[in-house]
Amino acid sequence: MMLPISWNLETSKMRILLTGATGYIGKRLMTVLASKGHTVICAVRDPARLVIPDLVKDRVEVIKLDLLDAATLENIPKDIDGAYYLVHSMSASRNYISLEEQSAKNFRRAMDATEVRHVIYLSGIANEEDLSRHLASRKKVEEVLSQGKYHFTTLRAGIIIGSGSASFEIIRDLVEKLPVMVTPKWLRTKSQPIGINDVITLLSETFLHEETYGRNFDIGGPDVLSYKEMLLTFAKIRGLNRSIITLPVITPRLSSYWLYFVTSTSYNLAVALVNSMNVEVICRDNELCNILGIKPIGYEEAIRQTFDQLSQEDLSSWKDSQVSGRLNFDISDFIQVPTYGCFKDQRRRTYIDKETTIEKVWHLGGKTGWYHANLLWRLRGFMDKVLGGVGLRRGRSSEHSLHVGDALDFWRVLYANKEEGRLLLFAEMRLPGEAWLEFRMEGEELVMTATFRPRGLMGRFYWYAVLPLHEFVFPGMLKKLTDISDCERAAVAEKQKEVALESAE
């Protein structure tokens, strides 16, 4: 007998394993499943990276899981009812195909040792015979996972429209940064984009729905568009006048470099995406939407919805995932700044108003910039891009808040405690060593400390080469962070007046 949707997600509360919980889809799905009363077991490589919304904290458990480390597979509970497989490795390594296949095999074996009834996998639309390496890898993972002892369902999506999606962020970067685009021929390729909210709804509603067992479904919105049409539609919605010139002579390698330098994507991800963009990703049908009674929104509405949600400023992003940085590291391994064998540059300055200074520190990077010598910061970001690093284009997930694990330009947030007044960043730029940048409130002062642990002679040479730049950049930053403008001074005075009146009452 087929289980009604209301039974699946409302009446019965399940224990669900969620892999990829730090990703832009996983974080959203975690919140939706937990808000329905399910217990969500988030499986992550580094628990310190996972930020759990207060609203669902009592229904979320966290386990450490590396699908390439057999020892951590023992952490998976046996008493789970369902599982979502949302992991991939295409931006972490050029050898991602073998890594993805091995991860899938390990996951399947682990699931066969549990009580899991239903496993759901989010893949890519793969209907063409000549698939890219990326899509072929996704299809292979699907084949591996389908051989388990559980019920299995695959949802195949093309371009996902939503803040944090790599595809959306690339479209956004291209349109908002380039008035005129000279583009490769793959911009003529057709795709069927779908909004992120519809993806999350389809994923959550598919769980334990018997009609979906043992099947795969293409999921997409109602619009079939070329990449060029998507770019121009985005520009229209944003009120931007953009011109696109398509040149068939631009090779895939040049296309990859073009995406890498213009957008916030990593080079490995750019290569994978360019290769996939030569393949049409159009749904065979919308059968799953019919089964579940869901009508996806169109491309234009998905764009507008995305920018409405951006105002909430608390969205996850592919840039915050573990694979987007220079290193695959656990935050806990770097949160204690070393002292032995390190160079330190520590500076301090008395602040005028503590709250104002902390707010400025919490707004570093992204659109705000670094308060002083921004041209030099951009130059350093460009040099990092040339060397194969992440550069400055990652920006921030939120313009107003910082969480552990967030990407912040070419830094990673290791520790962020506003009440304590401490922010610790770890460098993900290309360096001959490891670097930390810390801001800490001590007494009446803001203390800024740059720590560098060199690797070999080149690391030592690098430190002494950048010291003169520190002498110019850091004092100016500290001054801007600790001083307040006339407007800020007036706001502080007004706040002090309000506090005084409240005390008097």
Side-chain angles (χ1 to χ4, degrees):
M1 181 179 72
M2 187 176 73
L3 305 174
I5 296 176
S6 59
W7 184 93
N8 291 337
L9 298 177
E10 300 291 342
T11 308
S12 182
K13 309 310 177 187
M14 301 292 177
R15 288 175 57 79
I16 303 172
L17 180 73
L18 177 64
T19 64
T22 56
Y24 76 98
I25 290 178
K27 183 179 178 181
R28 289 165 166 85
L29 184 59
M30 168 186 66
T31 303
V32 169
L33 294 174
S35 66
K36 292 178 180 291
H38 301 301
T39 297
V40 183
I41 300 101
C42 294
V44 294
R45 291 185 59 181
D46 184 3
R49 292 178 184 262
L50 181 64
V51 178
I52 304 171
D54 292 336
L55 185 66
V56 297
K57 273 188 176 178
D58 60 336
R59 291 186 294 278
V60 174
E61 300 173 10
V62 183
I63 62 170
K64 186 169 185 176
L65 177 65
D66 182 344
L67 290 174
L68 295 174
D69 181 355
T72 67
L73 296 173
E74 298 298 322
N75 296 332
I76 298 176
K78 305 300 181 186
D79 60 336
I80 56 174
D81 300 287
Y84 285 88
Y85 193 85
L86 304 178
V87 297
H88 62 82
S89 310
M90 70 176 181
S91 62
S93 168
R94 294 183 180 182
N95 193 32
Y96 65 85
I97 294 179
S98 60
L99 293 177
E100 289 193 334
E101 183 177 357
Q102 188 58 52
S103 294
K105 288 178 178 178
N106 290 344
F107 182 80
R108 183 190 66 202
R109 283 193 288 267
M111 289 298 96
D112 284 344
T114 71
E115 300 171 7
V116 70
R117 297 156 59 190
H118 192 193
V119 172
I120 299 171
Y121 169 49
L122 180 62
S123 183
I125 294 177
N127 298 326
E128 300 290 322
E129 292 185 6
D130 186 18
L131 296 175
S132 67
R133 294 177 75 244
H134 162 219
L135 290 175
S137 178
R138 292 291 181 90
K139 196 167 185 178
K140 181 62 179 178
V141 167
E142 181 180 334
E143 293 173 4
V144 171
L145 294 177
S146 67
Q147 297 167 10
K149 299 176 182 178
Y150 41 76
H151 298 298
F152 180 66
T153 305
T154 301
L155 274 61
R156 298 174 174 177
I159 299 292
I160 297 177
I161 303 302
S163 178
S165 156
S167 301
F168 173 81
E169 297 297 344
I170 286 173
I171 291 171
R172 184 181 181 184
D173 278 347
L174 291 175
V175 173
E176 297 192 351
K177 292 175 182 176
L178 299 177
V180 178
M181 286 174 262
V182 180
T183 62
K185 63 181 179 180
W186 49 254
L187 250 71
R188 302 169 183 163
T189 306
K190 297 285 187 179
S191 181
Q192 193 164 350
I194 183 171
I196 181 66
N197 289 342
D198 287 325
V199 173
I200 300 303
T201 300
L202 289 165
L203 283 168
S204 63
E205 297 290 339
T206 296
F207 178 56
L208 288 182
H209 199 298
E210 288 188 351
E211 198 172 344
T212 70
Y213 289 174
R215 303 179 65 184
N216 60 71
F217 300 93
D218 292 349
I219 58 173
D223 302 318
V224 176
L225 304 166
S226 68
Y227 290 105
K228 181 176 180 178
E229 289 172 326
M230 283 190 276
L231 290 171
L232 292 175
T233 301
F234 186 103
K236 182 187 72 173
I237 292 171
R238 298 294 286 161
L240 299 170
N241 186 19
R242 295 295 183 255
S243 298
I244 298 177
I245 303 169
T246 303
L247 295 180
V249 295
I250 299 180
T251 66
R253 180 179 291 274
L254 286 176
S255 295
S256 301
Y257 284 131
W258 180 65
L259 277 188
Y260 172 63
F261 279 107
V262 174
T263 72
S264 57
T265 185
S266 67
Y267 179 68
N268 288 337
L269 182 56
V271 172
L273 290 174
V274 165
N275 289 335
S276 297
M277 286 171 175
N278 285 304
V279 180
E280 287 199 342
V281 282
I282 300 174
C283 299
R284 294 163 293 179
D285 50 52
N286 268 329
E287 186 177 0
L288 183 62
C289 293
N290 295 331
I291 291 173
L292 301 179
I294 295 169
K295 186 177 180 180
I297 62 175
Y299 177 70
E300 289 194 30
E301 179 59 27
I303 295 292
R304 291 191 171 90
Q305 195 175 88
T306 295
F307 279 97
D308 288 341
Q309 292 172 336
L310 274 171
S311 62
Q312 299 171 15
E313 295 294 351
D314 191 22
L315 299 168
S316 58
S317 168
W318 70 275
K319 293 178 281 189
D320 295 331
S321 68
Q322 204 161 2
V323 299
S324 69
R326 179 174 64 91
L327 299 174
N328 257 348
F329 64 85
D330 285 351
I331 283 176
S332 55
D333 294 339
F334 290 84
I335 199 166
Q336 295 299 325
V337 181
T339 56
Y340 180 76
C342 294
F343 295 112
K344 282 188 182 291
D345 184 345
Q346 187 174 91
R347 300 160 191 268
R348 57 182 66 227
R349 195 171 192 272
T350 302
Y351 55 78
I352 296 175
D353 180 72
K354 184 176 182 178
E355 289 187 13
T356 302
T357 295
I358 290 176
E359 283 299 324
K360 287 182 177 180
V361 170
W362 249 250
H363 283 77
L364 280 166
K367 295 177 181 177
T368 302
W370 293 83
Y371 294 105
H372 182 67
N374 278 318
L375 181 60
L376 289 178
W377 284 99
R378 288 194 292 269
L379 178 61
R380 182 63 181 88
F382 174 76
M383 291 171 59
D384 192 53
K385 273 281 191 180
V386 171
L387 295 173
V390 295
L392 287 179
R393 289 197 174 95
R394 291 193 306 184
R396 301 169 49 121
S397 298
S398 166
E399 290 300 318
H400 302 296
S401 64
L402 288 175
H403 300 291
V404 172
D406 282 359
L408 196 166
D409 289 346
F410 46 44
W411 303 90
R412 179 75 59 176
V413 178
L414 297 184
Y415 187 84
N417 188 319
K418 246 185 175 180
E419 292 183 3
E420 184 183 337
R422 185 189 175 208
L423 175 66
L424 179 62
L425 308 175
F426 180 75
E428 291 190 322
M429 65 194 85
R430 294 284 181 178
L431 289 171
E434 295 156 347
W436 293 256
L437 184 62
E438 182 178 23
F439 300 87
R440 185 197 294 268
M441 308 298 283
E442 289 186 3
E444 301 296 315
E445 295 180 318
L446 172 64
V447 181
M448 177 179 172
T449 307
T451 302
F452 184 67
R453 182 161 59 186
R455 186 170 57 247
L457 185 62
M458 183 58 69
R460 287 162 174 78
F461 174 79
Y462 172 84
W463 175 257
Y464 290 112
V466 299
L467 269 182
L469 294 177
H470 287 191
E471 290 296 332
F472 174 70
V473 175
F474 289 173
M477 277 185 65
L478 268 177
K479 185 176 188 302
K480 290 287 182 68
L481 289 169
T482 53
D483 285 351
I484 59 176
S485 65
D486 291 340
C487 290
E488 290 167 337
R489 194 182 300 274
V492 170
E494 185 65 28
K495 182 178 290 187
Q496 290 173 343
K497 183 178 178 180
E498 290 176 1
V499 171
L501 288 173
E502 288 177 2
S503 300
E505 291 174 359

